[in-house]
């Protein structure tokens, strides 16, 4: 499996770019999965549901399954968050895994950047950033793409990963 990331600070356009890239790349016939890092507490389960009751009772893992999809929730219960490599090992084989977040990990990535956020660019100090996708003009020692030019960004990612 090939992996490529989309990194950047909050409100840089990462999620929108990820969504467009998944649509574009799967539309070209490739299989794609995604991994998203959350910097805050999140829950895909809700109080009152049977699966939530299982978790709050102390289950380490809860699997939900239906005819349309299945999901596995793992409670860390005070243990450290697993590294990206461990999460990737849990993924089913596909052509490409797109990773949102994990901006300080060593996988290749494109940086999403919006000028209005006034965040510094990550790329100048990070050689794992292979290109920038921005809504503003940037001069840098690597490719800079229009943040909304999804087809060109997808071409770049597919070329970088050899797909």
């Amino acid at each position: 499996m090939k992996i490529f990331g989309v990194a950047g600070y909050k409100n840089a356009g990462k999620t929108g770019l990820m969504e467009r890239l998944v649509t574009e790349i799967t539309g070209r016939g490739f299989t794609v999965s995604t991994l998203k890092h959350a910097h805050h507490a999140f829950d895909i389960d809700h109080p009152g549901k049977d699966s939530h009751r299982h978790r709050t009772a102390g289950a380490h893992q809860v699997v939900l399954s239906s005819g349309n999809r299945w999901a596995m929730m793992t409670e860390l219960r005070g243990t450290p968050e697993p590294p990206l490599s461990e999460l990737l090992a849990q993924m089913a084989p596909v052509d490409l895994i797109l990773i949102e977040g994990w901006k300080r990990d060593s996988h290749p990535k494109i940086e999403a950047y919006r000028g209005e956020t006034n965040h510094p660019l990550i790329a100048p100090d990070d050689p794992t950033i292979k290109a920038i996708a921005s809504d503003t003009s940037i001069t840098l020692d690597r490719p800079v793409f229009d943040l909304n030019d999804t087809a060109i960004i997808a071409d770049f990612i597919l070329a970088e990963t050899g797909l």
Side-chain angles (χ1 to χ4, degrees):
M1 288 187 300
K2 307 293 185 174
I3 64 168
F4 205 89
V6 174
Y9 290 103
K10 184 176 180 179
N11 297 320
K14 297 180 304 291
T15 301
L17 179 57
M18 286 279 292
E19 181 180 18
R20 294 188 311 273
L21 285 170
V22 170
T23 299
E24 177 72 24
I25 295 170
T26 59
R28 296 182 188 192
F30 294 99
T31 56
V32 177
S33 290
T34 64
L35 259 165
K36 161 86 172 108
H37 190 261
H39 289 284
H40 46 76
F42 72 92
D43 207 336
I44 61 171
D45 206 6
H46 305 287
K49 297 293 184 183
D50 292 349
S51 54
H52 188 271
R53 292 172 61 190
H54 296 181
R55 285 178 41 226
T56 57
H60 174 67
Q61 289 186 315
V62 176
V63 175
L64 296 166
S65 182
S66 74
N68 294 327
R69 72 190 54 87
W70 71 271
M72 181 186 319
M73 294 173 283
T74 302
E75 291 296 314
L76 295 177
R77 303 216 186 274
T79 61
E81 178 181 359
L84 178 58
S85 59
E86 190 175 310
L87 297 171
L88 285 166
Q90 301 296 316
M91 304 290 290
V94 292
D95 296 319
L96 177 66
I97 296 178
L98 290 173
I99 300 167
E100 181 178 343
W102 282 281
K103 66 179 168 263
R104 300 294 178 209
D105 273 62
S106 62
H107 60 282
K109 50 191 91 69
I110 190 165
E111 180 176 355
Y113 181 81
R114 282 202 175 119
E116 69 189 30
T117 64
N118 291 319
H119 290 293
L121 275 171
I122 300 166
D125 298 319
D126 187 346
T128 68
I129 304 274
K130 303 301 182 188
I132 311 294
S134 178
D135 67 348
T136 187
S137 179
I138 296 172
T139 303
L140 204 59
D141 63 346
R142 59 205 86 173
V144 178
F145 303 110
D146 182 303
L147 182 59
N148 295 309
D149 197 343
T150 309
I152 294 296
I153 296 168
D155 288 344
F156 178 80
I157 291 171
L158 293 173
E160 285 286 306
T161 58
L163 289 173

